[in-house]
Amino acid sequence: VKEFYQNTRDMDVLFMKYEDMHADGIGTVKKINDFCDLPTLTDDLAAPVVEMSAFKTMKNDYTCNHSWLNHVRKKTEAPFMRKGTVGDWANYFTPEMSDMFDAKSRDMFADVELQFSDSL
């Protein structure tokens, strides 16, 4: 992520985070629209895009949820899509794991302006 993010200014790349999309779906869709240099998008036109790309919608869509692979993977052991909830990682990390991850992230991204968040 670090090397890629540092080079986004030199490439035609829009960098977004999952948390940002959850915080402002319509704003995010409009940002993508503008990045693609498409005609201005109203909130009313962006709303269906937000709905169709929402986690709950995609989780129920076999073309997105990889349920067509259920015959070769152990769905009960590792579902392809879990909850789609920002901050759900905290249900899987111990406090020690979280501290280790935070320390490693601080070291790795100390010289990058990218800000991470674990909640909305």
Side-chain angles (χ1 to χ4, degrees):
V1 170
K2 177 180 176 178
E3 289 80 11
F4 183 81
Y5 182 76
Q6 288 174 318
N7 290 304
T8 57
R9 290 167 183 75
D10 301 326
M11 300 182 291
D12 198 16
V13 173
L14 177 62
F15 194 89
M16 295 185 302
K17 296 177 286 184
Y18 188 70
E19 294 82 1
D20 297 338
M21 293 184 279
H22 266 272
D24 183 12
I26 289 179
T28 300
V29 168
K30 291 170 84 172
K31 187 175 182 179
I32 295 167
N33 183 78
D34 293 347
F35 178 78
C36 293
D37 202 25
L38 296 170
T40 302
L41 195 61
T42 65
D43 289 1
D44 288 341
L45 290 173
V49 177
V50 172
E51 181 61 31
M52 293 302 296
S53 59
F55 185 88
K56 65 181 178 183
T57 303
M58 294 175 67
K59 188 171 183 172
N60 294 318
D61 182 344
Y62 78 96
T63 64
C64 300
N65 66 18
H66 289 218
S67 59
W68 49 272
L69 282 176
N70 284 347
H71 66 285
V72 294
R73 67 183 189 87
K74 296 178 180 176
K75 184 178 177 182
T76 56
E77 289 182 18
F80 184 74
M81 300 175 84
R82 290 192 333 244
K83 297 177 188 172
T85 304
V86 172
D88 189 47
W89 63 269
N91 294 318
Y92 298 87
F93 275 39
T94 64
E96 295 78 20
M97 292 166 71
S98 179
D99 291 345
M100 287 173 50
F101 185 85
D102 288 346
K104 184 70 170 176
S105 296
R106 277 192 301 276
D107 290 345
M108 290 179 67
F109 295 102
D111 58 339
V112 179
E113 297 173 10
L114 182 60
Q115 298 294 314
F116 292 100
S117 60
D118 58 10
S119 62
L120 294 180

